[in-house]
Short mmCIF file of all heavy atoms in Angstrom, two decimals:
data_model
loop_
_atom_site.label_atom_id
_atom_site.label_comp_id
_atom_site.label_asym_id
_atom_site.label_seq_id
_atom_site.Cartn_x
_atom_site.Cartn_y
_atom_site.Cartn_z
N ALA A 767 2.24 1.97 -3.49
CA ALA A 767 1.25 2.56 -4.39
C ALA A 767 1.09 4.05 -4.09
O ALA A 767 0.98 4.86 -5.00
CB ALA A 767 -0.08 1.83 -4.27
N LEU A 771 1.96 7.10 -6.66
CA LEU A 771 0.94 8.12 -6.93
C LEU A 771 1.44 9.53 -6.60
O LEU A 771 1.25 10.46 -7.39
CB LEU A 771 -0.35 7.83 -6.12
CG LEU A 771 -1.51 8.75 -6.37
CD1 LEU A 771 -1.92 8.71 -7.82
CD2 LEU A 771 -2.67 8.35 -5.47
N VAL A 785 2.91 31.13 -18.00
CA VAL A 785 2.38 32.38 -18.55
C VAL A 785 3.43 33.47 -18.47
O VAL A 785 4.03 33.69 -17.40
CB VAL A 785 1.09 32.83 -17.81
CG1 VAL A 785 0.59 34.13 -18.39
CG2 VAL A 785 0.01 31.74 -17.88
N PHE A 788 2.89 40.65 -20.39
CA PHE A 788 3.39 41.98 -20.75
C PHE A 788 2.28 42.97 -20.46
O PHE A 788 1.27 42.99 -21.12
CB PHE A 788 3.78 42.04 -22.21
CG PHE A 788 5.06 41.32 -22.51
CD1 PHE A 788 5.05 39.94 -22.75
CD2 PHE A 788 6.27 41.98 -22.53
CE1 PHE A 788 6.23 39.26 -22.99
CE2 PHE A 788 7.45 41.30 -22.77
CZ PHE A 788 7.44 39.94 -22.99
N GLY A 794 -0.06 50.83 -33.78
CA GLY A 794 -0.98 51.69 -34.52
C GLY A 794 -0.31 52.80 -35.23
O GLY A 794 0.91 52.73 -35.50
N ALA A 802 3.46 63.10 -36.68
CA ALA A 802 2.91 61.88 -37.22
C ALA A 802 3.85 60.72 -36.87
O ALA A 802 5.07 60.85 -36.97
CB ALA A 802 2.70 61.99 -38.71
N THR A 812 11.83 32.42 -27.45
CA THR A 812 12.63 31.18 -27.62
C THR A 812 12.21 30.19 -26.52
O THR A 812 11.64 30.58 -25.50
CB THR A 812 14.15 31.42 -27.51
OG1 THR A 812 14.42 32.06 -26.29
CG2 THR A 812 14.66 32.28 -28.68
N VAL A 817 7.86 23.36 -28.67
CA VAL A 817 6.66 23.52 -27.86
C VAL A 817 5.65 24.42 -28.59
O VAL A 817 6.03 25.43 -29.17
CB VAL A 817 7.01 24.07 -26.47
CG1 VAL A 817 7.60 25.46 -26.55
CG2 VAL A 817 5.80 24.08 -25.55
N LEU A 823 -4.01 38.79 -26.82
CA LEU A 823 -3.98 40.26 -26.70
C LEU A 823 -5.25 40.76 -26.04
O LEU A 823 -6.34 40.28 -26.36
CB LEU A 823 -3.82 40.93 -28.06
CG LEU A 823 -2.62 40.53 -28.89
CD1 LEU A 823 -2.67 41.22 -30.23
CD2 LEU A 823 -1.33 40.84 -28.16
N GLU A 832 -7.88 42.86 -31.25
CA GLU A 832 -7.46 42.31 -32.54
C GLU A 832 -6.19 43.02 -33.03
O GLU A 832 -6.00 44.20 -32.83
CB GLU A 832 -8.58 42.46 -33.57
CG GLU A 832 -8.26 41.71 -34.86
CD GLU A 832 -9.46 41.68 -35.81
OE1 GLU A 832 -10.43 42.39 -35.57
OE2 GLU A 832 -9.33 40.92 -36.79
N LEU A 836 2.48 39.61 -37.72
CA LEU A 836 3.39 39.60 -38.86
C LEU A 836 4.69 38.82 -38.53
O LEU A 836 5.15 38.84 -37.39
CB LEU A 836 3.78 41.01 -39.27
CG LEU A 836 2.65 42.03 -39.45
CD1 LEU A 836 3.21 43.40 -39.74
CD2 LEU A 836 1.70 41.57 -40.55
N GLN A 857 15.45 28.17 -31.26
CA GLN A 857 15.36 28.98 -32.48
C GLN A 857 14.45 30.16 -32.19
O GLN A 857 13.24 29.99 -31.97
CB GLN A 857 14.78 28.17 -33.65
CG GLN A 857 15.64 27.05 -34.09
CD GLN A 857 16.95 27.52 -34.70
OE1 GLN A 857 16.98 28.44 -35.50
NE2 GLN A 857 18.05 26.90 -34.28
N GLN A 860 10.21 35.73 -34.10
CA GLN A 860 9.74 37.11 -33.92
C GLN A 860 8.31 37.25 -34.41
O GLN A 860 7.95 36.72 -35.48
CB GLN A 860 10.62 38.09 -34.66
CG GLN A 860 11.90 38.40 -33.98
CD GLN A 860 12.62 39.59 -34.61
OE1 GLN A 860 12.35 39.99 -35.73
NE2 GLN A 860 13.50 40.18 -33.83
N TRP A 880 -2.47 44.83 -23.14
CA TRP A 880 -1.49 43.91 -22.58
C TRP A 880 -1.54 42.57 -23.32
O TRP A 880 -2.46 42.32 -24.09
CB TRP A 880 -1.67 43.75 -21.08
CG TRP A 880 -3.09 43.57 -20.60
CD1 TRP A 880 -4.01 44.54 -20.40
CD2 TRP A 880 -3.72 42.34 -20.23
NE1 TRP A 880 -5.18 44.01 -19.93
CE2 TRP A 880 -5.01 42.66 -19.82
CE3 TRP A 880 -3.32 41.01 -20.23
CZ2 TRP A 880 -5.94 41.67 -19.40
CZ3 TRP A 880 -4.21 40.07 -19.79
CH2 TRP A 880 -5.50 40.40 -19.40
N ASN A 882 -0.44 38.18 -23.09
CA ASN A 882 -0.03 36.98 -22.34
C ASN A 882 0.41 35.90 -23.32
O ASN A 882 -0.24 35.66 -24.34
CB ASN A 882 -1.18 36.41 -21.52
CG ASN A 882 -1.45 37.18 -20.28
OD1 ASN A 882 -0.61 37.92 -19.79
ND2 ASN A 882 -2.66 37.04 -19.74
N PRO A 912 8.86 40.49 -19.52
CA PRO A 912 7.59 40.06 -18.92
C PRO A 912 7.57 40.26 -17.42
O PRO A 912 8.63 40.31 -16.79
CB PRO A 912 7.54 38.58 -19.30
CG PRO A 912 8.91 38.17 -19.51
CD PRO A 912 9.65 39.37 -20.02
N GLU A 913 6.36 40.33 -16.89
CA GLU A 913 6.14 40.43 -15.46
C GLU A 913 5.27 39.28 -15.01
O GLU A 913 4.70 38.57 -15.83
CB GLU A 913 5.47 41.77 -15.15
CG GLU A 913 6.30 42.96 -15.46
CD GLU A 913 5.63 44.28 -15.12
OE1 GLU A 913 4.55 44.24 -14.48
OE2 GLU A 913 6.18 45.34 -15.44
#
Side-chain angles (χ1 to χ4, degrees):
L771 183 59
V785 178
F788 287 84
T812 56
V817 63
L823 304 177
E832 189 171 11
L836 310 176
Q857 295 294 314
Q860 283 192 339
W880 45 279
N882 284 339
E913 297 181 6

